[in-house]
Coordinates of all heavy atoms in Angstrom, one line a residue:
S1176 N -3.8 7.9 5.2 CA -5.2 8.3 5.3 C -6.2 7.2 5.5 O -7.4 7.4 5.5 CB -5.6 9.1 4.0 OG -5.5 8.2 2.8
V1217 N -2.9 -11.4 24.0 CA -2.2 -12.2 24.9 C -3.3 -13.0 25.8 O -4.2 -12.3 26.3 CB -1.3 -11.4 25.9 CG1 -0.7 -12.3 26.9 CG2 -0.2 -10.7 25.1
L1234 N 5.5 -9.5 28.4 CA 5.5 -8.0 28.2 C 6.9 -7.5 28.0 O 7.1 -6.4 27.4 CB 4.8 -7.3 29.3 CG 3.3 -7.6 29.5 CD1 2.7 -6.8 30.6 CD2 2.5 -7.4 28.2
Y1242 N 3.6 -1.4 21.1 CA 2.5 -2.3 20.9 C 1.3 -2.0 21.8 O 1.5 -1.6 22.9 CB 2.9 -3.8 21.1 CG 4.0 -4.3 20.2 CD1 5.3 -4.5 20.6 CD2 3.7 -4.5 18.8 CE1 6.3 -5.0 19.8 CE2 4.7 -5.0 18.0 CZ 6.0 -5.2 18.5 OH 7.0 -5.7 17.7
L1268 N -2.4 -4.7 34.2 CA -1.9 -3.7 33.2 C -2.2 -2.3 33.6 O -2.4 -1.4 32.7 CB -2.5 -4.1 31.9 CG -2.1 -5.4 31.3 CD1 -2.9 -5.7 30.0 CD2 -0.6 -5.5 31.0
L1279 N -16.2 -19.5 25.2 CA -16.3 -20.7 24.4 C -17.5 -21.6 24.8 O -17.8 -21.7 26.0 CB -15.0 -21.4 24.3 CG -13.8 -20.6 23.9 CD1 -12.5 -21.5 24.0 CD2 -14.0 -20.1 22.5
D1281 N -17.7 -25.2 23.8 CA -17.2 -26.5 24.1 C -15.8 -26.7 23.6 O -15.3 -25.9 22.8 CB -18.2 -27.6 23.4 CG -18.1 -27.5 21.9 OD1 -17.1 -28.0 21.3 OD2 -19.1 -27.0 21.3
K1283 N -14.5 -29.1 21.8 CA -14.3 -29.8 20.5 C -14.3 -28.8 19.4 O -13.4 -28.8 18.5 CB -15.3 -30.8 20.3 CG -15.2 -31.6 19.0 CD -16.2 -32.7 18.8 CE -16.0 -33.4 17.5 NZ -17.0 -34.5 17.3
E1305 N -13.3 -1.5 27.1 CA -13.5 -1.4 25.7 C -13.4 -2.8 25.1 O -12.3 -3.4 25.0 CB -12.4 -0.5 25.1 CG -12.5 1.0 25.7 CD -11.3 1.8 25.5 OE1 -10.2 1.2 25.5 OE2 -11.5 3.0 25.3
I1315 N -27.0 -11.3 12.9 CA -27.9 -10.8 14.0 C -27.1 -10.6 15.3 O -27.2 -9.6 16.0 CB -29.1 -11.7 14.2 CG1 -29.9 -11.9 12.9 CG2 -30.0 -11.1 15.3 CD1 -30.3 -10.6 12.2
C1325 N -19.9 -2.9 22.2 CA -18.5 -3.4 21.9 C -17.9 -2.5 20.9 O -18.5 -2.0 19.9 CB -18.7 -4.8 21.3 SG -19.2 -6.0 22.5
V1360 N -12.0 -10.2 11.1 CA -12.1 -11.7 11.1 C -11.2 -12.3 12.1 O -10.0 -11.9 12.2 CB -11.8 -12.2 9.7 CG1 -11.4 -13.7 9.8 CG2 -13.0 -12.1 8.8
A1373 N -10.7 -11.9 3.3 CA -11.3 -11.1 4.4 C -11.3 -9.6 4.1 O -12.3 -8.9 4.3 CB -10.7 -11.5 5.7
C1378 N -13.7 -6.3 5.4 CA -13.3 -6.3 6.8 C -12.3 -5.3 7.2 O -11.4 -5.0 6.3 CB -12.8 -7.7 7.2 SG -14.1 -9.0 7.1
V1381 N -7.8 -8.4 10.4 CA -7.8 -9.8 10.7 C -6.9 -10.1 11.9 O -5.8 -9.6 11.9 CB -7.3 -10.6 9.4 CG1 -7.2 -12.1 9.7 CG2 -8.1 -10.3 8.2
A1389 N 2.1 -21.9 13.3 CA 2.1 -23.3 12.9 C 2.7 -23.5 11.5 O 2.8 -24.6 11.0 CB 0.7 -24.0 13.0
A1422 N -17.3 -14.2 -21.6 CA -16.1 -13.4 -21.8 C -16.4 -12.0 -22.3 O -17.4 -11.7 -22.9 CB -15.3 -14.2 -22.9
S1423 N -15.4 -11.2 -22.1 CA -15.5 -9.8 -22.6 C -14.1 -9.4 -23.0 O -13.1 -9.5 -22.3 CB -15.9 -8.8 -21.4 OG -15.9 -7.5 -21.9
A1424 N -13.9 -9.1 -24.3 CA -12.6 -8.9 -24.9 C -11.8 -7.8 -24.2 O -12.4 -6.7 -23.8 CB -12.7 -8.5 -26.4

Side-chain angles (χ1 to χ4, degrees):
S1176 61
V1217 177
L1234 298 183
Y1242 298 105
L1268 297 173
L1279 304 177
D1281 66 75
K1283 182 177 181 179
E1305 296 164 327
I1315 304 303
C1325 294
V1360 159
C1378 292
V1381 179
S1423 177

